Amino acid sequence: MRDKKSSKALYILYITVLLVFFYLPIVVMMVFSFNSSKSLTNMTGFSLRWYSRLISDGSIMRAVYVSLTIAIFSTIVSVILGTITAIGLSRSRRVMKEVLLNINNLPIMNPDIVTAIGLMILFSSIMMTKGYVTMLLAHIAFCTPYVITSVYPKVRQLDPALADAAMDLGATPFEALVKVIIPMLRDGIYAGILLAFTMSFDDFVISYFVTGNGVENISITVYNMTKRTNPTINALSTIVILVIAILLIVSKLLPSMFKATIKRIMAVALVLLIGFTTFAGIKSNGRSLRVYIAGEYIDPALVESFEKKYDCDVILETFDSNETMYTKLMSGSEYDILVISDYMIERLIKEKQLQPVDWDNITNKDSIDPSNMGYPFDPDNTYSVPYFVGTVGILYDKNEVAEEDLSEGWELLRNPKYAGDIYMYDSERDSFMIALKALGYSMNTTNKEEITEAYNWLIDQRESMDVVYVGDDVMDNMISGNKSIAVVYSGDGAYIMAENEDLGYFDPEEGTNEWCDAMVMTKDCLDTELAESFMDYMLDYDVVYQNSVFVGYTTPVTEAREVLKEEEFDGINSYTPVFGAPNNEQFRYQDEELRAFYSDLWTKVKAY
């Protein structure tokens, strides 16, 4: 009896731990969706501000429409194709059947990134404009194999004589299919519907590479929102979870009313399509500007204001890194304006992917700080108009890090006193920059012995300091005080310090990466007048002020920067780092061999 009670208690404990492990993070996320502050970890009070912002954010609402319509249409088409294919396979010869089933398994087993790149290249090679249609076709392509996998086992269970018997009784082949075969495959088809809809609605990787022209689903929108601390993600996720929970409850009733449900789904799909094309849909025949920029790197209100001022459409698309931008650009995606980093600008100049800017059309050019012009990647600013500038430095807790230790510069990151208390930024070039500067070398060195020495510096740091490599989550972690030291971009440092007054920032005297993100025009830009108007608009005092407050990064416009320093960023020294310091550099172009050498060493650092 005791053994049975013990076993039952262990079973209950196991189930409890399992439920807590799976659902506690969801509960925490839902609770923080009502947090009054921006923090994702520190609850300061109840508020509906993030739900209000979610509803008023047009980009998010458009993403919801895209996700729903894409998921519904791809589900309907893939279920039809998958069911017909499964039935056809059951009547095929054994060799043909096995070959087709193995082919069907390939996209299921393929990594998403491989499928994504393949589809992206396919659409580019046939000169198909990326957007809603390409995303829909891609979703149909990867959902159909899952439907076949769900329906085929049910087909195998059918008696092959059923269809013949139905036709012997007077049914046409189509009637035999619709009234006899399909009803008996109902459970498999229903499973295929749920699987296809879920796969489509959740997809990020494939959607990210096959879309364009500003068409984004929820997954892409949420991913871009994670580039900055944005609690709207919690509100959106909470709503999605509640909707899924309701659908799961309703789905319990679905099998008993399967036919009616299919009709309802098709009706809803039609309504949503009309709503999508009306609300978000097809751009007008007027002027349009395709802008490719990092996620959360421009205030959406400014884009709307520009559209009204110039009576045009701005098709805003976002990327997560310069390298992702380059991949899509080289695959055939077309844009008018890119907002990218210094070293990537130099690369595109060398590869003749950009066209010169007519500075006579940039009326606000005199407002730019001269120290933020003439960088080595574009000495005469022939191709680039500065957008945001800054440095990479060290953020530290003034209560935990001794003032005298700051004189160590980058070697502070190897001070045993702070072992286990350091965040490194998860960036290959910036990590090697730190090591090279600490060793007294140029961060643009091509000397492989110096690079190898820097690699050993990073390996030693990982071994002795137990550092954690992080991305943009460093912001909320440092606001919450999870560690005492972090390597950050100065703009992120300004945002963090505005939320946590116990933090300080400095650029080591050995020098650092003094970066510049700039606006450039691609060689494919046709409306250069509108593109240059956008560049000029983004240098206007009021626009610069609003955009810098929204993003948190340092503007190259002198007057706005000085006012922001005294107002929004008062007491935050990382907003105005020292530009033009003797040992500061900008990243330069690397050839393929050097990039491969760095990449190989970086892989070893991360895997250590």
Side-chain angles (χ1 to χ4, degrees):
M1 184 65 70
R2 287 183 177 178
D3 289 341
K4 289 184 178 180
K5 288 183 178 180
S6 299
S7 298
K8 186 176 181 179
L10 287 173
Y11 177 74
I12 293 174
L13 178 62
Y14 170 77
I15 294 298
T16 302
V17 171
L18 194 64
L19 289 174
V20 169
F21 179 78
F22 281 124
Y23 294 106
L24 182 60
I26 295 176
V27 172
V28 171
M29 180 270 299
M30 295 177 75
V31 169
F32 274 93
S33 71
F34 299 100
N35 191 11
S36 60
S37 77
K38 291 183 178 180
S39 176
L40 300 179
T41 56
N42 183 26
M43 191 73 179
T44 59
F46 180 86
S47 174
L48 294 175
R49 63 181 294 197
W50 307 118
Y51 288 90
S52 176
R53 177 175 294 184
L54 174 65
I55 294 171
S56 62
D57 191 332
S59 64
I60 295 178
M61 298 307 294
R62 285 191 292 270
V64 171
Y65 272 100
V66 171
S67 290
L68 284 174
T69 54
I70 289 286
I72 290 173
F73 290 134
S74 62
T75 297
I76 292 172
V77 176
S78 62
V79 166
I80 293 172
L81 292 176
T83 302
I84 293 174
T85 303
I87 294 172
L89 283 175
S90 67
R91 295 179 174 272
S92 300
R93 294 181 179 180
R94 182 176 179 181
V95 174
M96 177 65 69
K97 186 187 305 181
E98 291 182 356
V99 170
L100 291 177
L101 286 174
N102 285 328
I103 292 174
N104 183 68
N105 289 333
L106 285 176
I108 296 176
M109 299 175 65
N110 247 353
D112 280 354
I113 187 65
V114 175
T115 303
I117 297 297
L119 287 169
M120 179 180 68
I121 294 173
L122 171 65
F123 293 138
S124 297
S125 63
I126 61 177
M127 305 297 289
M128 192 170 186
T129 303
K130 296 184 182 68
Y132 188 90
V133 174
T134 54
M135 188 188 293
L136 177 59
L137 292 175
H139 281 229
I140 292 171
F142 73 74
C143 285
T144 301
Y146 289 94
V147 176
I148 295 173
T149 303
S150 298
V151 176
Y152 183 67
K154 288 293 180 181
V155 176
R156 293 186 60 187
Q157 296 174 10
L158 291 179
D159 185 345
L162 283 174
D164 295 333
M167 287 186 286
D168 288 341
L169 293 172
T172 64
F174 181 76
E175 289 175 329
L177 174 66
V178 174
K179 295 183 178 181
V180 178
I181 302 299
I182 290 181
M184 299 191 72
L185 300 177
R186 183 175 58 189
D187 291 342
I189 294 173
Y190 175 58
I193 289 174
L194 291 180
L195 189 57
F197 184 88
T198 303
M199 292 292 296
S200 175
F201 193 80
D202 288 347
D203 179 70
F204 165 71
V205 175
I206 295 175
S207 300
Y208 190 83
F209 281 92
V210 300
T211 191
N213 289 312
V215 177
E216 296 181 346
N217 60 11
I218 291 179
S219 298
I220 296 174
T221 300
V222 169
Y223 179 73
N224 290 329
M225 289 165 67
T226 61
K227 302 305 290 180
R228 309 287 291 176
T229 303
N230 193 335
T232 311
I233 298 173
N234 289 342
L236 176 61
S237 301
T238 298
I239 292 174
V240 170
I241 289 170
L242 290 176
V243 170
I244 291 174
I246 293 170
L247 289 175
L248 286 175
I249 294 171
V250 172
S251 69
K252 295 297 182 181
L253 306 174
L254 205 58
S256 62
M257 49 184 184
F258 183 78
K259 292 181 180 179
T261 300
I262 290 295
K263 293 179 181 178
R264 291 192 186 102
I265 289 176
M266 293 179 70
V268 171
L270 182 59
V271 171
L272 287 173
L273 177 61
I274 296 172
F276 171 73
T277 53
T278 302
F279 181 80
I282 303 168
K283 293 291 181 179
S284 67
N285 294 323
R287 303 174 76 185
S288 64
L289 188 68
R290 302 162 297 179
V291 180
Y292 203 20
I293 189 172
E296 295 287 297
Y297 212 40
I298 188 172
D299 187 342
L302 295 175
V303 177
E304 294 178 8
S305 177
F306 178 82
E307 289 178 320
K308 292 177 181 178
K309 182 176 181 179
Y310 289 91
D311 190 23
C312 67
D313 293 313
V314 175
I315 302 170
L316 194 69
E317 194 171 338
T318 56
F319 56 81
D320 63 334
S321 69
N322 286 280
E323 286 66 33
T324 300
M325 178 283 307
Y326 181 81
T327 299
K328 290 197 72 174
L329 186 67
M330 291 298 103
S331 72
S333 297
E334 294 184 352
Y335 305 99
D336 298 311
I337 290 181
L338 308 175
V339 183
I340 52 178
S341 299
D342 34 38
Y343 70 93
M344 186 56 69
I345 294 173
E346 183 175 12
R347 180 175 184 177
L348 294 182
I349 291 173
K350 290 181 179 293
E351 296 177 2
K352 302 186 184 305
Q353 296 296 321
L354 305 179
Q355 59 178 299
V357 175
D358 185 350
W359 279 90
D360 290 337
N361 295 328
I362 311 298
T363 60
N364 291 307
K365 57 180 176 293
D366 293 334
S367 66
I368 302 175
D369 186 342
S371 65
N372 299 137
M373 298 281 283
Y375 286 120
F377 67 88
D378 186 15
D380 299 318
N381 285 94
T382 304
Y383 300 93
S384 60
V385 177
Y387 183 74
F388 278 130
V389 290
T391 58
V392 175
I394 296 177
L395 191 71
Y396 64 96
D397 189 328
K398 291 182 284 189
N399 298 322
E400 300 294 334
V401 179
E403 191 72 25
E404 59 270 18
D405 291 339
L406 302 182
S407 61
E408 298 177 13
W410 291 119
E411 284 297 333
L412 176 67
L413 302 177
R414 293 205 302 178
N415 187 327
K417 188 189 302 185
Y418 306 107
D421 205 21
I422 296 174
Y423 287 124
M424 287 285 286
Y425 200 73
D426 191 0
S427 164
E428 173 189 320
R429 297 204 73 172
D430 284 313
S431 293
F432 272 96
M433 176 276 293
I434 291 169
L436 288 166
K437 286 295 185 182
L439 294 167
Y441 301 134
S442 167
M443 68 187 204
N444 292 305
T445 182
T446 58
N447 186 315
K448 292 186 177 180
E449 291 183 0
E450 294 177 354
I451 297 170
T452 302
E453 194 174 342
Y455 160 76
N456 291 328
W457 190 98
L458 292 170
I459 290 295
D460 176 72
Q461 184 200 36
R462 293 215 70 171
E463 181 178 354
S464 61
M465 299 298 294
D466 190 27
V467 298
V468 178
Y469 281 90
V470 294
D472 293 312
D473 52 326
V474 69
M475 290 186 283
D476 202 60
N477 280 313
M478 288 302 291
I479 290 172
S480 303
N482 293 339
K483 292 189 185 296
S484 299
I485 298 174
V487 175
V488 298
Y489 291 104
S490 55
D492 291 339
Y495 178 90
I496 297 167
M497 292 168 71
E499 297 289 325
N500 186 341
E501 60 184 15
D502 292 330
L503 300 176
Y505 175 92
F506 76 101
D507 290 328
E509 292 185 3
E510 301 99 317
T512 186
N513 168 21
E514 183 178 317
W515 56 267
C516 174
D517 289 348
M519 299 174 283
V520 296
M521 287 192 302
T522 68
K523 66 177 184 179
D524 298 316
C525 178
L526 300 178
D527 196 341
T528 58
E529 180 184 349
L530 185 60
E532 288 165 347
S533 295
F534 181 84
M535 293 176 171
D536 189 48
Y537 171 81
M538 294 308 299
L539 294 176
D540 180 78
Y541 175 87
D542 292 331
V543 172
V544 161
Y545 190 100
Q546 181 177 332
N547 201 36
S548 200
V549 170
F550 179 84
V551 179
Y553 276 70
T554 307
T555 172
V557 176
T558 309
E559 183 182 1
R561 183 160 73 200
E562 292 304 315
V563 174
L564 284 163
K565 178 182 177 181
E566 300 299 327
E567 295 181 356
E568 294 289 336
F569 299 98
D570 181 34
I572 299 176
N573 68 316
S574 65
Y575 183 75
T576 52
V578 178
F579 293 107
N583 297 318
N584 287 356
E585 297 180 78
Q586 293 79 45
F587 281 126
R588 302 301 305 275
Y589 170 80
Q590 294 176 337
D591 59 31
E592 292 292 340
E593 181 186 356
L594 190 60
R595 282 199 297 272
F597 184 71
Y598 267 108
S599 180
D600 181 59
L601 294 179
W602 178 242
T603 301
K604 294 177 182 177
V605 170
K606 293 297 296 294
Y608 186 80

